[in-house]
Amino acid sequence: MLRTATRRFRAADTVYNAIMQGRGRAVGGRSGRGGGRGRGGRQQQHMSSSTSSSGDTFNKNGTSYNRRRQNQKPGRGSGSNRSNNTRATQNQQTSHSKPINIETTNFQSIFHNKLCRAAKYKVHAPLCSCPKVVTLRQRYDNTTQNKVKANNETATMSSGNNNIGGYSNDQIQFDIDGNITHQLSQLDITSSSSSNDNNNHPFDNLIVLPDTKGSNPSIYSCTNTNLQSFQKDGISCEQKLAIEIFGNTSTTTDKVCSTDKNKIPPFKVNCAICLLTTHQRNGFVAIISNSYNELQSTITSARKSSLMKQSKGKKLHSDHAHFVCALKLSSLYTLLSAGRTRSKNEMVTKDILMQIRNDGGVDCLSAEMNNESTTSVQIKMGHHLTSLLWLLQDDKPPKSSNNNVKYIMVMGYIDSSNAIELDLPGGKRHLGETTLQGVIREVEEECSLQIDYDWLVSHVSKRYGGNKDTGEGDGSIQVLEPRKVKGSVSGDAFFVMTPPPDTY
């Protein structure tokens, strides 16, 4: 009897403690961000409450305080973030379910002026593996499959009619599973202005995408530039697309400026990394010699050409260098290895400034740069010059006169009275250009140096638009391709050459 009474007493005590704990939560309330403020305290003390076995506290009307607290509108805490994330996910799913607009004509008037109005566009290779293109291609394929399923259902419902889903029986063929396997291009999947009269996949062409972060962009597909045609003659495919974008122009370009006549917003077109790595790359020139006088003759030719332009009233390109000079290659290596070490930077900066002042042809330095005892001038190297120096350190030099190089031609940009940036001539190629054509144009625009096209083509392989089948000529030109720059795949090619013949 005593044991039974003890057990009953302990059970009653446990129930009492549970009731008091539940009442304490109901009376005291919580002031957390997600629990609703001002619900607890004195107002709830006057309510008669009881506790269920699940721990919820009920008032006399049978309403749970805890459940009512959960149903309240969330505040600025995690509940609001969850609702925002849910809303963003729904918007993303809605945008992914929308059909993709694919245009094949009227790039400027329709695709750019009415649909995209982007400032920059990128051209991708046929069936490329760029993440953005792969995502859009999957969306397009899913839309196509949904269209096919819808037509299959329509064909099943109207199997007794002569016309199946709006198409005659001789236009559509079905396989064993009932799927349409013939003339899928006749289905109206894209916009009304894009004609699917070709049997190719729209992504199996050169395509143009706006360089934006939108999840539902329009796509411009250049017809008759599929992978097979592109591998056979990629330059012709690019030139066809360039004509559709820029019109019939005698010279290549990469941008369109707005005019009052057509009122089309300005835009610029660049080649995507897939197009550079699989086809023609961007080109940069590094003229290196172990003779200062030999290199100085090339620099003098560039300076004379620049003065001739200005004397004829021609404006220099916006990317034209402020000066061109020859520097010791060892000084640039020291600047590269100095990093953020202050003492090494000051020492190598004084050395480079002294070389620029002793050049004799640089007359655009500020008074502070001409001061031999200055320590406030900063010299930094551009992205492409830095990449070349790392390549020259990693790769063995060719067996030629470039074994003991000491001087390199660099361009200088004066950013302020105490800042200079050094870099190499070269840049991005235009759509329809070979790497060599882009190199010659960029070098002339940035430093006025005119390189003989026939001489350059005769020393470079066909991989870059030259005439050589194999190899790289007689060793006067070496082509280096960096695999990655700062963790990203590079689409550049560096032409390390001896001073070219004087064409001035």
Side-chain angles (χ1 to χ4, degrees):
M1 295 293 293
L2 181 61
R3 292 181 180 179
T4 304
T6 303
R7 292 175 182 174
R8 291 179 179 177
F9 176 77
R10 290 178 179 177
D13 185 59
T14 303
V15 172
Y16 175 79
N17 292 335
I19 293 174
M20 296 306 296
Q21 291 178 2
R23 181 175 297 179
R25 286 197 299 269
V27 173
R30 290 185 181 180
S31 58
R33 293 183 179 181
R37 302 185 182 184
R39 286 289 179 182
R42 206 175 283 176
Q43 184 178 1
Q44 294 181 356
Q45 292 179 2
H46 300 286
M47 298 182 180
S48 60
S49 60
S50 60
T51 306
S52 67
S53 60
S54 61
D56 290 339
T57 305
F58 296 86
N59 61 11
K60 61 182 180 180
N61 296 327
T63 304
S64 170
Y65 295 147
N66 296 340
R67 291 180 182 176
R68 184 172 60 187
R69 188 178 293 118
Q70 293 175 0
N71 294 332
Q72 291 174 0
K73 186 177 181 180
R76 292 175 294 176
S78 60
S80 177
N81 293 334
R82 284 194 296 269
S83 62
N84 293 334
N85 293 335
T86 303
R87 192 180 300 110
T89 304
Q90 292 176 355
N91 293 337
Q92 186 177 7
Q93 292 176 353
T94 303
S95 63
H96 283 191
S97 62
K98 294 180 180 179
I100 301 176
N101 292 325
I102 300 180
E103 303 294 328
T104 58
T105 56
N106 301 323
F107 183 91
Q108 291 191 20
S109 60
I110 302 296
F111 181 75
H112 170 64
N113 194 28
K114 293 184 178 181
L115 294 177
C116 300
R117 300 184 71 87
K120 294 182 180 179
Y121 295 91
K122 283 190 176 181
V123 181
H124 292 261
L127 299 178
C128 72
S129 59
C130 296
K132 188 174 183 179
V133 178
V134 171
T135 302
L136 293 174
R137 189 165 65 237
Q138 291 175 351
R139 285 178 52 187
Y140 175 82
D141 292 339
N142 292 336
T143 306
T144 305
Q145 292 176 2
N146 293 335
K147 283 284 186 179
V148 172
K149 290 180 180 179
N151 280 275
N152 284 340
E153 294 176 358
T154 305
T156 303
M157 295 176 61
S158 59
S159 58
N161 299 333
N162 293 329
N163 293 334
I164 301 179
Y167 300 91
S168 59
N169 291 333
D170 56 350
Q171 290 179 333
I172 300 179
Q173 297 178 1
F174 298 91
D175 58 12
I176 299 176
D177 297 329
N179 297 322
I180 299 176
T181 60
H182 183 61
Q183 292 192 3
L184 294 179
S185 61
Q186 295 185 8
L187 300 180
D188 187 12
I189 297 173
T190 59
S191 63
S192 59
S193 62
S194 59
S195 59
N196 281 334
D197 53 351
N198 60 336
N199 294 326
N200 294 331
H201 196 286
F203 285 85
D204 188 13
N205 289 306
L206 287 175
I207 62 172
V208 185
L209 296 180
D211 192 9
T212 57
K213 296 182 179 180
S215 60
N216 189 40
S218 299
I219 298 174
Y220 187 89
S221 178
C222 183
T223 58
N224 300 324
T225 58
N226 54 24
L227 183 60
Q228 184 178 1
S229 301
F230 183 76
Q231 292 176 347
K232 184 178 180 180
D233 190 358
I235 293 297
S236 298
C237 294
E238 287 191 10
Q239 291 175 352
K240 180 181 182 298
L241 177 59
I243 292 175
E244 295 181 6
I245 295 176
F246 305 108
N248 293 318
T249 58
S250 57
T251 58
T252 60
T253 183
D254 64 341
K255 60 184 177 181
V256 171
C257 300
S258 61
T259 60
D260 296 335
K261 183 178 179 181
N262 50 25
K263 295 182 180 180
I264 294 178
F267 64 90
K268 192 172 184 179
V269 179
N270 293 327
C271 298
I273 188 65
C274 60
L275 198 63
L276 298 175
T277 55
T278 59
H279 192 215
Q280 298 288 322
R281 290 175 170 258
N282 298 326
F284 299 86
V285 171
I287 303 177
I288 301 177
S289 176
N290 57 351
S291 173
Y292 178 81
N293 294 330
E294 183 183 12
L295 186 58
Q296 194 64 29
S297 62
T298 302
I299 296 175
T300 302
S301 176
R303 292 171 180 169
K304 288 181 179 180
S305 178
S306 177
L307 293 175
M308 183 64 67
K309 287 182 182 179
Q310 297 177 1
S311 63
K312 293 181 179 180
K314 296 182 180 180
K315 292 183 179 181
L316 298 179
H317 196 270
S318 58
D319 295 333
H320 198 280
H322 295 152
F323 66 89
V324 182
C325 66
L327 296 178
K328 292 181 180 179
L329 199 59
S330 58
S331 300
L332 297 180
Y333 280 128
T334 305
L335 181 63
L336 180 66
S337 61
R340 297 183 178 180
T341 306
R342 183 174 180 180
S343 58
K344 291 184 178 180
N345 269 318
E346 290 181 355
M347 186 181 302
V348 70
T349 297
K350 289 183 178 180
D351 179 30
I352 293 176
L353 283 176
M354 183 182 65
Q355 296 181 47
I356 296 175
R357 286 193 295 264
N358 294 338
D359 183 272
V362 181
D363 54 357
C364 56
L365 299 180
S366 62
E368 191 171 359
M369 296 175 184
N370 285 318
N371 186 5
E372 297 182 0
S373 60
T374 183
T375 58
S376 61
V377 178
Q378 296 181 352
I379 297 178
K380 63 179 181 178
M381 293 185 294
H383 167 70
H384 301 104
L385 179 57
T386 303
S387 301
L388 174 70
L389 294 178
W390 286 115
L391 284 174
L392 292 178
Q393 284 184 341
D394 296 338
D395 293 2
K396 294 182 180 180
K399 296 181 180 181
S400 63
S401 60
N402 288 346
N403 281 330
N404 299 319
V405 293
K406 294 183 180 180
Y407 297 95
I408 181 174
M409 188 190 81
V410 296
M411 304 184 305
Y413 295 91
I414 301 177
D415 297 334
S416 62
S417 60
N418 60 349
I420 298 176
E421 181 177 358
L422 304 176
D423 211 342
L424 295 175
K428 298 179 180 180
R429 70 176 182 89
H430 291 170
L431 194 64
E433 280 185 335
T434 63
T435 303
L436 292 186
Q437 291 172 346
V439 161
I440 293 176
R441 177 186 51 78
E442 286 287 341
V443 170
E444 199 277 333
E445 289 177 354
E446 294 183 349
C447 64
S448 299
L449 178 63
Q450 298 178 1
I451 302 178
D452 187 9
Y453 178 77
D454 294 333
W455 175 82
L456 189 61
V457 167
S458 63
H459 290 80
V460 179
S461 65
K462 293 181 179 179
R463 167 72 176 82
Y464 309 99
N467 293 333
K468 291 291 182 179
D469 292 329
T470 57
E472 297 172 358
D474 56 0
S476 58
I477 296 180
Q478 179 189 11
V479 184
L480 302 177
E481 292 184 2
R483 295 182 179 178
K484 288 188 177 181
V485 177
K486 295 183 179 180
S488 301
V489 179
S490 175
D492 301 334
F494 294 88
F495 295 85
V496 183
M497 63 180 67
T498 57
D502 191 2
T503 58
Y504 179 73

